[in-house]
PDB file of all heavy atoms in Angstrom:
ATOM      1  N   LYS X 171     -41.643  -6.713  28.418  1.00 89.00           N
ATOM      2  CA  LYS X 171     -40.187  -6.850  28.541  1.00 89.00           C
ATOM      3  C   LYS X 171     -39.717  -8.052  27.733  1.00 89.00           C
ATOM      4  O   LYS X 171     -38.699  -8.001  27.054  1.00 89.00           O
ATOM      5  CB  LYS X 171     -39.768  -7.011  29.998  1.00 89.00           C
ATOM      6  CG  LYS X 171     -39.772  -5.742  30.782  1.00 89.00           C
ATOM      7  CD  LYS X 171     -39.249  -5.995  32.189  1.00 89.00           C
ATOM      8  CE  LYS X 171     -39.243  -4.725  32.994  1.00 89.00           C
ATOM      9  NZ  LYS X 171     -38.722  -4.942  34.351  1.00 89.00           N
ATOM     10  N   LEU X 172     -40.467  -9.131  27.810  1.00 90.00           N
ATOM     11  CA  LEU X 172     -40.123 -10.338  27.064  1.00 90.00           C
ATOM     12  C   LEU X 172     -40.168 -10.077  25.563  1.00 90.00           C
ATOM     13  O   LEU X 172     -39.295 -10.519  24.810  1.00 90.00           O
ATOM     14  CB  LEU X 172     -41.081 -11.474  27.447  1.00 90.00           C
ATOM     15  CG  LEU X 172     -40.771 -12.850  26.886  1.00 90.00           C
ATOM     16  CD1 LEU X 172     -39.391 -13.318  27.341  1.00 90.00           C
ATOM     17  CD2 LEU X 172     -41.816 -13.847  27.323  1.00 90.00           C
ATOM     18  N   VAL X 173     -41.166  -9.354  25.116  1.00 90.00           N
ATOM     19  CA  VAL X 173     -41.299  -9.021  23.700  1.00 90.00           C
ATOM     20  C   VAL X 173     -40.112  -8.173  23.247  1.00 90.00           C
ATOM     21  O   VAL X 173     -39.527  -8.402  22.185  1.00 90.00           O
ATOM     22  CB  VAL X 173     -42.639  -8.295  23.431  1.00 90.00           C
ATOM     23  CG1 VAL X 173     -42.679  -7.719  22.035  1.00 90.00           C
ATOM     24  CG2 VAL X 173     -43.801  -9.250  23.656  1.00 90.00           C
ATOM     25  N   LYS X 174     -39.720  -7.190  24.061  1.00 91.00           N
ATOM     26  CA  LYS X 174     -38.595  -6.319  23.719  1.00 91.00           C
ATOM     27  C   LYS X 174     -37.292  -7.113  23.633  1.00 91.00           C
ATOM     28  O   LYS X 174     -36.488  -6.925  22.724  1.00 91.00           O
ATOM     29  CB  LYS X 174     -38.462  -5.189  24.733  1.00 91.00           C
ATOM     30  CG  LYS X 174     -39.542  -4.141  24.608  1.00 91.00           C
ATOM     31  CD  LYS X 174     -39.385  -3.055  25.653  1.00 91.00           C
ATOM     32  CE  LYS X 174     -40.534  -2.066  25.563  1.00 91.00           C
ATOM     33  NZ  LYS X 174     -40.423  -1.012  26.583  1.00 91.00           N
ATOM     34  N   VAL X 175     -37.081  -8.008  24.580  1.00 92.00           N
ATOM     35  CA  VAL X 175     -35.871  -8.841  24.573  1.00 92.00           C
ATOM     36  C   VAL X 175     -35.873  -9.740  23.342  1.00 92.00           C
ATOM     37  O   VAL X 175     -34.846  -9.904  22.679  1.00 92.00           O
ATOM     38  CB  VAL X 175     -35.767  -9.657  25.882  1.00 92.00           C
ATOM     39  CG1 VAL X 175     -34.666 -10.696  25.776  1.00 92.00           C
ATOM     40  CG2 VAL X 175     -35.521  -8.739  27.070  1.00 92.00           C
ATOM     41  N   ASN X 176     -37.015 -10.308  23.029  1.00 94.00           N
ATOM     42  CA  ASN X 176     -37.131 -11.152  21.841  1.00 94.00           C
ATOM     43  C   ASN X 176     -36.797 -10.369  20.573  1.00 94.00           C
ATOM     44  O   ASN X 176     -36.128 -10.873  19.675  1.00 94.00           O
ATOM     45  CB  ASN X 176     -38.544 -11.727  21.732  1.00 94.00           C
ATOM     46  CG  ASN X 176     -38.609 -13.164  22.154  1.00 94.00           C
ATOM     47  OD1 ASN X 176     -37.592 -13.790  22.392  1.00 94.00           O
ATOM     48  ND2 ASN X 176     -39.821 -13.684  22.255  1.00 94.00           N
ATOM     49  N   GLU X 177     -37.298  -9.148  20.494  1.00 93.00           N
ATOM     50  CA  GLU X 177     -37.026  -8.309  19.324  1.00 93.00           C
ATOM     51  C   GLU X 177     -35.537  -7.996  19.199  1.00 93.00           C
ATOM     52  O   GLU X 177     -34.977  -8.030  18.102  1.00 93.00           O
ATOM     53  CB  GLU X 177     -37.842  -7.016  19.395  1.00 93.00           C
ATOM     54  CG  GLU X 177     -39.316  -7.228  19.137  1.00 93.00           C
ATOM     55  CD  GLU X 177     -40.143  -5.968  19.337  1.00 93.00           C
ATOM     56  OE1 GLU X 177     -39.593  -4.925  19.756  1.00 93.00           O
ATOM     57  OE2 GLU X 177     -41.360  -6.041  19.078  1.00 93.00           O
ATOM     58  N   LYS X 178     -34.877  -7.722  20.320  1.00 94.00           N
ATOM     59  CA  LYS X 178     -33.431  -7.440  20.296  1.00 94.00           C
ATOM     60  C   LYS X 178     -32.653  -8.675  19.822  1.00 94.00           C
ATOM     61  O   LYS X 178     -31.728  -8.575  19.019  1.00 94.00           O
ATOM     62  CB  LYS X 178     -32.940  -7.008  21.673  1.00 94.00           C
ATOM     63  CG  LYS X 178     -33.336  -5.601  22.044  1.00 94.00           C
ATOM     64  CD  LYS X 178     -32.779  -5.226  23.402  1.00 94.00           C
ATOM     65  CE  LYS X 178     -33.206  -3.828  23.803  1.00 94.00           C
ATOM     66  NZ  LYS X 178     -32.668  -3.446  25.122  1.00 94.00           N
ATOM     67  N   ILE X 179     -33.053  -9.829  20.333  1.00 96.00           N
ATOM     68  CA  ILE X 179     -32.385 -11.070  19.918  1.00 96.00           C
ATOM     69  C   ILE X 179     -32.597 -11.299  18.427  1.00 96.00           C
ATOM     70  O   ILE X 179     -31.655 -11.630  17.701  1.00 96.00           O
ATOM     71  CB  ILE X 179     -32.910 -12.265  20.746  1.00 96.00           C
ATOM     72  CG1 ILE X 179     -32.460 -12.156  22.195  1.00 96.00           C
ATOM     73  CG2 ILE X 179     -32.439 -13.588  20.138  1.00 96.00           C
ATOM     74  CD1 ILE X 179     -33.108 -13.152  23.134  1.00 96.00           C
ATOM     75  N   ALA X 180     -33.813 -11.098  17.952  1.00 95.00           N
ATOM     76  CA  ALA X 180     -34.115 -11.297  16.527  1.00 95.00           C
ATOM     77  C   ALA X 180     -33.292 -10.346  15.662  1.00 95.00           C
ATOM     78  O   ALA X 180     -32.768 -10.748  14.623  1.00 95.00           O
ATOM     79  CB  ALA X 180     -35.606 -11.091  16.287  1.00 95.00           C
ATOM     80  N   GLU X 181     -33.170  -9.095  16.081  1.00 95.00           N
ATOM     81  CA  GLU X 181     -32.377  -8.123  15.317  1.00 95.00           C
ATOM     82  C   GLU X 181     -30.919  -8.558  15.217  1.00 95.00           C
ATOM     83  O   GLU X 181     -30.303  -8.465  14.158  1.00 95.00           O
ATOM     84  CB  GLU X 181     -32.473  -6.741  15.966  1.00 95.00           C
ATOM     85  CG  GLU X 181     -33.809  -6.059  15.770  1.00 95.00           C
ATOM     86  CD  GLU X 181     -33.917  -4.760  16.560  1.00 95.00           C
ATOM     87  OE1 GLU X 181     -32.908  -4.279  17.117  1.00 95.00           O
ATOM     88  OE2 GLU X 181     -35.043  -4.221  16.622  1.00 95.00           O
ATOM     89  N   LYS X 182     -30.362  -9.040  16.322  1.00 95.00           N
ATOM     90  CA  LYS X 182     -28.961  -9.472  16.312  1.00 95.00           C
ATOM     91  C   LYS X 182     -28.765 -10.714  15.447  1.00 95.00           C
ATOM     92  O   LYS X 182     -27.778 -10.821  14.726  1.00 95.00           O
ATOM     93  CB  LYS X 182     -28.464  -9.709  17.733  1.00 95.00           C
ATOM     94  CG  LYS X 182     -28.323  -8.423  18.506  1.00 95.00           C
ATOM     95  CD  LYS X 182     -27.644  -8.611  19.826  1.00 95.00           C
ATOM     96  CE  LYS X 182     -27.611  -7.262  20.521  1.00 95.00           C
ATOM     97  NZ  LYS X 182     -26.411  -7.047  21.266  1.00 95.00           N
ATOM     98  N   VAL X 183     -29.703 -11.636  15.523  1.00 96.00           N
ATOM     99  CA  VAL X 183     -29.612 -12.849  14.703  1.00 96.00           C
ATOM    100  C   VAL X 183     -29.692 -12.482  13.220  1.00 96.00           C
ATOM    101  O   VAL X 183     -28.887 -12.947  12.411  1.00 96.00           O
ATOM    102  CB  VAL X 183     -30.710 -13.863  15.085  1.00 96.00           C
ATOM    103  CG1 VAL X 183     -30.801 -14.984  14.062  1.00 96.00           C
ATOM    104  CG2 VAL X 183     -30.444 -14.426  16.470  1.00 96.00           C
TER     105      VAL X 183
END
Side-chain angles (χ1 to χ4, degrees):
K171 283 184 180 181
L172 187 60
V173 169
K174 287 179 184 179
V175 170
N176 257 352
E177 288 175 356
K178 285 182 182 180
I179 291 170
E181 287 174 10
K182 290 189 182 217
V183 168

